[in-house]
Amino acid sequence: QVQLVESGGGAVQTGGSLTLSCTASNILRYMSWFRQPPGKEREGVAIIYDGTGATYYADPVKGRFTISRDKAKKTVTLQMNRLRPEDTAMYYCAAGPNFSWKSSWYSNWGQGTQVTVSS
């Protein structure tokens, strides 16, 4: 079991930026960020493959969010720029051995950090 702890959430205005960090007890093959808006299902935001550093993004965040990882510090970062009200959600870090945009494929989750974007 991998322990994941997120930090960095907060409240910003439209167009602002936030940086989320996930500190892991171990970096697994695929490290991901998901989000769950109020009253909606959890959705994948960004994935990074630890082997090559390849990154993948959901369409709504392409060009605005950047996922990265620091192997030595065992951290995964989500840089979020040009934030929009629709980005408001609880953001979760997840880790797993397989590539997937489905939350059910991940068994390792953090507790989440809230991001609120006001217009």
Side-chain angles (χ1 to χ4, degrees):
Q1 195 76 1
V2 176
Q3 307 301 317
L4 303 169
V5 179
E6 302 97 334
S7 61
V12 296
Q13 293 187 327
T14 297
S17 298
L18 281 174
T19 302
L20 305 184
S21 292
C22 172
T23 301
S25 59
N26 193 23
I27 297 290
L28 296 189
R29 189 178 304 171
Y30 291 95
M31 302 296 293
S32 307
W33 284 95
F34 281 74
R35 68 185 181 186
Q36 189 164 14
K40 296 185 178 180
E41 294 186 353
R42 197 168 296 190
E43 61 184 14
V45 174
I47 302 172
I48 186 165
Y49 172 49
D50 185 56
T52 62
T55 57
Y56 308 87
Y57 298 94
D59 286 342
V61 308
K62 281 182 181 177
R64 301 187 298 122
F65 291 11
T66 303
I67 188 172
S68 61
R69 52 94 167 87
D70 185 323
K71 284 190 172 184
K73 295 182 179 179
K74 296 184 181 179
T75 58
V76 179
T77 299
L78 185 68
Q79 176 64 44
M80 306 186 295
N81 298 324
R82 291 184 281 139
L83 284 161
R84 306 167 179 167
E86 53 264 39
D87 295 318
T88 294
M90 184 70 79
Y91 282 71
Y92 298 90
C93 180
N98 301 301
F99 178 92
S100 179
W101 289 109
K102 297 181 179 180
S103 60
S104 59
W105 281 59
Y106 295 84
S107 57
N108 301 286
W109 293 90
Q111 82 288 350
T113 185
Q114 178 68 38
V115 171
T116 303
V117 185
S118 59
S119 58

